[in-house]
Amino acid sequence: MDFQEFVDSYSMAAAVLSVEKLGEEHWGEIRIVKANAMYKKIMGSNYKDGMRYDELVQKEANFEDFCYRCAVKKLHLHAYVDTKSMGVWTDGTYIPLSSEFDTDKLSYFVFFFEFTKTPEAERLSDMSMEAAPFIIQTCINLRKAENFIEAMNTAIADIQIKTDSFCSAIFMIDTEKQKYAPLCAKYRNDEATIELPAIFN
C-alpha cells in the first residue's frame, strides 16, 4: 500500500502512524509515517515524515495508549477529548491497518481527526445504548453529591460492579512534580488491599 496515496484520499486531517512494540502492553516511539496536506497544515512547518508525534505536540499518555491498542491489538477506537495543550477539543478516530503491513518491531494505524473550539453535545453523546444510562446516572449522582470523597467512592464502586472488575480506583496525578497518590479504591473482596505509597506531600 502507498501510505501517502492512502492518507491523501481523506477529506479531513489524516495520517498513518507507527507504534514500536516493546512487549505486552509496552510501546516505544510513536511516529507519523505519512500525512495528508490538511494534517501537515495543522501541524505547521516543523512537520516532516517519520518524525515522533511528540516532536509536534505535547506527549500524552492516553493518546499513546489508544495508539498502542489500535495498532498492535487491532482495535477500532474513537475519542472526543479536551486537548488542553492546543486549546481545542479533538474528535479522533483510530483505525488499525492490516497485520500484513506489520513488522516484528512496528505496527501501523490510520488516525484522522477534526477540531472543535468548544465541546459539542452530539459528539459527547456518542456512546452505546447499553452504556448511556449507566454513565448518565453516574453523572447525576456526582452532581447532586454533597460529600466529594463519598461521591467518588460510590462512583468507583458502581463502576467496579458494572465492569465486573477486581478493583476500581481514582488516582491524583501531579505531572509537573511527577507525583501521584490514590484518592479512593474499591475491591471485589473487601479484605483485599494494595499497598501504595502516599507521595502527594
Side-chain angles (χ1 to χ4, degrees), residues 2-23:
D2 184 326
F3 286 156
Q4 189 62 61
E5 184 178 338
F6 177 59
V7 293
D8 286 343
S9 69
Y10 281 81
S11 60
M12 62 176 63
V16 169
L17 285 81
S18 66
V19 176
E20 183 183 16
K21 298 177 282 190
L22 298 181

Side-chain angles (χ1 to χ4, degrees), residues 160 166-167 185-195:
Q160 190 259 339
F166 169 74
C167 172
K186 173 65 178 173
Y187 306 92
R188 185 183 300 164
N189 179 352
D190 288 334
E191 296 179 359
T193 60
I194 297 176
E195 292 298 325

Side-chain angles (χ1 to χ4, degrees), residues 78-112:
H78 172 258
Y80 184 50
V81 296
D82 185 1
T83 312
K84 291 183 172 62
S85 62
M86 300 179 73
V88 295
W89 282 72
T90 304
D91 189 344
T93 300
Y94 307 68
I95 300 176
L97 294 182
S98 171
S99 56
E100 70 182 69
F101 301 110
D102 292 354
T103 67
D104 290 341
K105 294 185 177 180
L106 299 175
S107 287
Y108 297 88
F109 72 101
V110 62
F111 173 62
F112 57 93

Side-chain angles (χ1 to χ4, degrees), residues 21 42 76-77 107 126 145-146 164:
K21 298 177 282 190
I42 291 171
H76 178 183
L77 303 169
S107 287
D126 183 16
E146 296 182 2
D164 192 29

